[in-house]
Amino acid sequence: MMAHDPYALMISLSLDGLLDAEEEEDLHRHVQNCPTCAGVWRDMSTLDRVLNSSGELAPPPNFTLGVMARIESYETQRRLSPWFALFAVMIMLSAVVSVGAPIALFVSGLYRRLFELPFLGSWLSFGLHMVSLIQSSIRIALGTVIDWLTLLTADPAALAVVISALVLASTWIGLLEGMKAAPARSRSPR
Amino acid sequence: MCRCGVSTDQELVARVLDGDRNAFAQLVETYQRPVYNLTYRMLGDPREAEDAAQEAFLRAYKHLERYDPSRSFKTWLLSIASNYCIDRLRKRRLTWLSIDEPLPPHPSLTSDAPDPETSLIDSERNRAVQELLESLAPDYRAAIVLRYWYDMSYAEIAEMLETTESAIKSRLFRARQMLAQRVRAGDASELFMAMESA
């Protein structure tokens, strides 16, 4: 097969009109004496004729309208994209300012000046006082819970007392509820 | 303007660059058929071909400032379309599209023509041609389509597909060899029937 490959390539080039007269003559001489290459020549020539005779296919109607609609959509996006970019930058800037400004004020100590302002200063003081009140309340509540949990885990007797108290309390509640329900049942008609 | 009063491609391109979108519509009208034919021959599915052809025009519009007016606009446009189709075919391979299920034929290949007998022969021939094309790798298919449907030289095909002339020579040879083997194996019996009837 390898010996035929140069001639197969020459057949391909011949179909494209790229062989000179001498090469064409050499190819034709070989093809006349070689059944394998004659077969290749026949098959490639048939293909060549069929492919050359295949016409162009037409696009569907309204093809141009479809292209122009895509272009319109692209142009709209292109027009709007700077505004979207500006919007994104504004969002980022506002995020940076809202986080960075309080930090900067605190670090630089400028926040003290804010408290000296006539109206804003008193509101800020009140707000800060409320925040510290809530903070200390939460701290006390959490501290009590943590103290209790620490006591219960450290002392098994205390844990037993608490569990017993919970059992007694739930029993007592159950009994009370039962007593409330009993008169109602006795009054109901049989 | 040329002698016949119709704008040349270069003039239309210049108008598009100046913001005249109607000029681009004229270019689409002029080249829709060759671009669509190329995408159909490459992809083998009418809907996909239409989408690819429209995408090729959109890409041409987006990158119009890169167009060199000393070159043929048609060649530049077909270059965009063929490279886009090659990329699309490579991606399609990854989506596990079964080659056992043939794609639907082009409407014009099955439509009623004035002469039903001629239409049938043409339809059969085109179907066989399309089946043969679809057996080729994207690079080989592009070379064959550009050579046969657009009568392009090796140098032009090489420039369009961003490769060398010797690579195109090799691709066309290998493609023809593969197609000839398929014809010999009887994969294109309709093709021969159509040829004999013609």
Side-chain angles (χ1 to χ4, degrees):
Chain A
M1 188 63 194
M2 286 302 288
H4 302 291
D5 268 359
Y7 287 102
L9 176 60
M10 283 174 80
I11 292 168
S12 178
L13 293 172
S14 170
L15 292 171
D16 292 329
L18 294 174
L19 292 185
D20 58 33
E22 197 180 327
E23 288 168 327
E24 284 283 359
E25 200 182 318
D26 178 30
L27 175 65
H28 283 282
R29 206 179 307 123
H30 176 80
V31 167
Q32 278 173 354
N33 299 314
C34 175
T36 308
C37 289
V40 173
W41 174 266
R42 191 181 55 245
D43 294 340
M44 282 196 182
S45 300
T46 306
L47 267 173
D48 197 58
R49 281 198 302 277
V50 172
L51 294 175
N52 270 323
S53 64
S54 295
E56 269 189 351
L57 297 170
N62 298 330
F63 178 86
T64 306
L65 287 176
V67 175
M68 297 317 289
R70 284 192 187 205
I71 286 171
E72 181 61 41
S73 164
Y74 163 72
E75 284 292 351
T76 308
Q77 273 181 4
R78 202 171 65 156
R79 270 198 305 272
L80 290 177
S81 61
W83 292 105
F84 279 121
L86 187 68
F87 183 67
V89 168
M90 294 290 281
I91 293 279
M92 280 170 68
L93 272 176
S94 58
V96 167
V97 167
S98 61
V99 173
I103 294 170
L105 283 170
F106 185 78
V107 170
S108 63
L110 282 172
Y111 73 97
R112 288 195 194 93
R113 296 268 175 91
L114 292 175
F115 287 95
E116 291 164 10
L117 292 172
F119 181 73
L120 185 68
S122 58
W123 272 105
L124 277 174
S125 299
F126 175 73
L128 211 62
H129 179 70
M130 290 306 289
V131 166
S132 69
L133 200 70
I134 292 165
Q135 193 186 359
S136 57
S137 304
I138 290 170
R139 195 187 298 146
I140 289 164
L142 280 174
T144 311
V145 171
I146 288 166
D147 287 348
W148 265 98
L149 288 173
T150 312
L151 178 71
L152 292 177
T153 50
D155 191 353
L159 185 64
V161 167
V162 169
I163 290 170
S164 303
L166 285 171
V167 169
L168 280 171
S170 58
T171 309
W172 178 247
I173 291 166
L175 281 170
L176 281 177
E177 289 298 316
M179 283 166 75
K180 276 183 197 168
R185 270 204 302 273
S186 64
R187 279 197 301 272
S188 64
R190 295 194 176 177
Chain B
M1 291 281 176
C2 74
R3 285 185 300 274
C4 51
V6 178
S7 300
T8 64
D9 292 347
Q10 281 68 23
E11 284 168 344
L12 288 170
V13 167
R15 278 170 52 195
V16 178
L17 290 172
D18 285 341
D20 180 0
R21 243 179 274 172
N22 289 331
F24 195 77
Q26 283 184 52
L27 286 168
V28 177
E29 281 290 334
T30 308
Y31 294 115
Q32 57 175 323
R33 199 178 171 103
V35 171
Y36 176 78
N37 180 66
L38 173 73
T39 55
Y40 181 75
R41 296 298 178 188
M42 288 295 289
L43 302 170
D45 173 50
R47 274 169 304 186
E48 225 186 325
E50 185 184 357
D51 181 60
Q54 291 190 348
E55 181 61 29
F57 275 110
L58 180 63
R59 288 182 177 204
Y61 179 83
K62 282 181 189 173
H63 304 120
L64 205 58
E65 68 279 358
R66 292 189 204 162
Y67 166 64
D68 175 7
S70 64
R71 289 178 58 201
S72 153
F73 182 76
K74 184 182 175 182
T75 307
W76 184 70
L77 194 57
L78 291 174
S79 164
I80 293 171
S82 54
N83 284 306
Y84 177 68
C85 286
I86 290 171
D87 287 346
R88 201 156 163 155
L89 284 169
R90 284 179 182 151
K91 281 177 193 160
R92 191 200 275 179
R93 279 183 172 184
L94 300 173
T95 59
W96 294 94
L97 188 75
S98 171
I99 56 167
D100 297 330
E101 292 169 23
L103 291 163
H106 186 273
S108 70
L109 303 183
T110 52
S111 64
D112 295 332
D115 180 358
E117 197 180 338
T118 313
S119 168
L120 185 68
I121 292 167
D122 284 349
S123 163
E124 284 298 304
R125 181 188 300 183
N126 271 311
R127 196 167 60 81
V129 166
Q130 204 54 43
E131 277 176 22
L132 284 173
L133 286 175
E134 280 160 24
S135 69
L136 294 173
D139 292 340
Y140 289 18
R141 202 184 299 183
I144 286 281
V145 170
L146 292 171
R147 177 76 194 91
Y148 280 102
W149 276 274
Y150 303 94
D151 202 25
M152 290 190 169
S153 68
Y154 284 22
E156 284 171 321
I157 300 172
E159 195 183 345
M160 282 176 69
L161 301 181
E162 293 163 0
T163 185
T164 60
E165 275 188 57
S166 59
I168 295 302
K169 189 202 282 187
S170 168
R171 279 183 205 177
L172 281 170
F173 164 56
R174 294 282 170 214
R176 281 177 171 136
Q177 218 174 22
M178 284 178 213
L179 295 179
Q181 276 170 7
R182 283 185 73 100
V183 169
R184 209 175 305 131
D187 288 354
S189 52
E190 299 95 339
L191 184 69
F192 281 112
M193 280 170 61
M195 282 302 295
E196 283 163 9
S197 312

